Amino acid sequence: MHTVDGLAFRSWTSRRPNSAVYVLVHGIGMSHRYLSRLHAQLARDAEVHSIDLPGFGGLRKPKASPDIAAMSRALGTVLDDLGARAAVLVGHSMGAQWVVETAVQRPDLASAVVVIGPVTDDERRSAVTQALLLARDSALEPPRANAIVLTDYLRCGPFWYARQARHMVRYPIEERVALLAVPLLVLRGAADPIARERWVQRLAARAPVGSVSSIPGHRHLVQYTAAAAAAARIRAHAPGAVGTL
């Protein structure tokens, strides 16, 4: 457990000395559980930290609802505590916003950034639209993945979800990626209705160094349903890696 300015975080760590370092951050309503397959894949040859953020995964809900900038500042302190510097920061869905902002605020912590199924599309930036797209995606995700999503949503609760969703739809990620000092990979399932191809191409183009990789046959939860393929693309994006995205 880590407490920063009254915000409670939890970390799940697989350590491998003298190896690449990855930090995994979940999306709104979720926890490390739907990142566990990706964590296991990356941990085969790297140090991996999966982080549960305040109010999610059964953690205490703060009285105030920190915005993206405040949550990211606190996340940076957690990574300091873990000794996770020059890491590849990986965020899924709303987690994309937190890792981008952390890398902008604390460039010393990031060697690269990977955003998986990033939100929110600047042409569809409303809570109602995002909820409809999520429902459309969930209808075709595997039952086991949906079971994790449902139970994590129940632990999060609608009140905290709604308070954080306000920050999610207001955060201009397409502006913030332009300030990144490290390469950005935008990764998506090719059938993801939330992070559509048009949006991720536009987002990658805004970064000083940006690229896009799609995994055919998968949707928004691609890091769970295609963990090995997602890990391979993330490894290829790490500094010094040689490979094809």
Side-chain angles (χ1 to χ4, degrees):
M1 292 287 292
H2 311 262
T3 302
V4 181
D5 297 330
L7 301 175
F9 294 76
R10 183 190 294 119
S11 61
W12 304 81
T13 294
S14 300
R15 291 197 182 275
R16 186 177 291 270
N18 303 315
S19 65
V21 179
Y22 298 92
V23 173
L24 309 184
V25 178
H26 60 77
I28 188 170
M30 298 304 299
S31 73
H32 73 283
R33 295 195 307 150
Y34 82 147
L35 298 170
S36 61
R37 291 183 175 183
L38 179 61
H39 182 122
Q41 288 287 333
L42 292 170
R44 292 179 176 184
D45 57 5
E47 178 176 315
V48 186
H49 306 275
S50 291
I51 312 295
D52 284 345
L53 273 61
F56 303 109
L59 289 172
R60 183 179 71 252
K61 296 172 177 59
K63 292 181 180 179
S65 177
D67 62 12
I68 305 298
M71 188 78 86
S72 299
R73 279 194 297 274
L75 177 58
T77 300
V78 172
L79 299 187
D80 283 336
D81 291 345
L82 292 169
R85 290 183 176 269
V88 179
L89 305 184
V90 182
H92 175 260
S93 199
M94 188 179 179
Q97 300 179 337
W98 288 313
V99 298
V100 165
E101 186 62 28
T102 300
V104 170
Q105 292 183 11
R106 293 286 308 277
D108 59 305
L109 295 176
S111 60
V113 173
V114 179
V115 295
I116 307 173
V119 295
T120 48
D121 187 331
D122 59 357
E123 294 179 350
R124 302 188 292 182
R125 189 161 282 165
S126 79
V128 172
T129 299
Q130 292 300 309
L132 291 172
L133 292 170
L134 179 61
R136 175 182 165 190
D137 178 75
S138 297
L140 295 174
E141 295 282 8
R144 183 173 294 183
N146 277 332
I148 294 174
V149 172
L150 177 60
T151 53
D152 271 354
Y153 277 9
L154 290 173
R155 289 198 294 172
C156 169
F159 183 62
W160 183 248
Y161 186 102
R163 295 182 76 190
Q164 284 292 295
R166 289 183 301 171
H167 304 311
M168 181 182 76
V169 298
R170 293 172 180 170
Y171 183 73
I173 188 172
E174 71 283 356
E175 297 177 9
R176 301 301 284 169
V177 298
L179 303 178
L180 287 173
V182 295
L184 171 72
L185 171 65
V186 186
L187 179 61
R188 68 184 290 269
D192 185 349
I194 297 170
R196 56 184 177 168
E197 182 70 14
R198 176 177 168 181
W199 159 238
V200 300
Q201 290 288 350
R202 192 164 64 251
L203 185 62
R206 293 295 297 271
V209 180
S211 58
V212 173
S213 183
S214 295
I215 299 179
H218 293 270
R219 302 178 67 82
H220 193 57
L221 300 181
V222 63
Q223 85 291 342
Y224 182 86
T225 59
R233 285 159 171 76
I234 293 168
R235 284 192 190 97
H237 183 64
V242 177
T244 301
L245 299 179

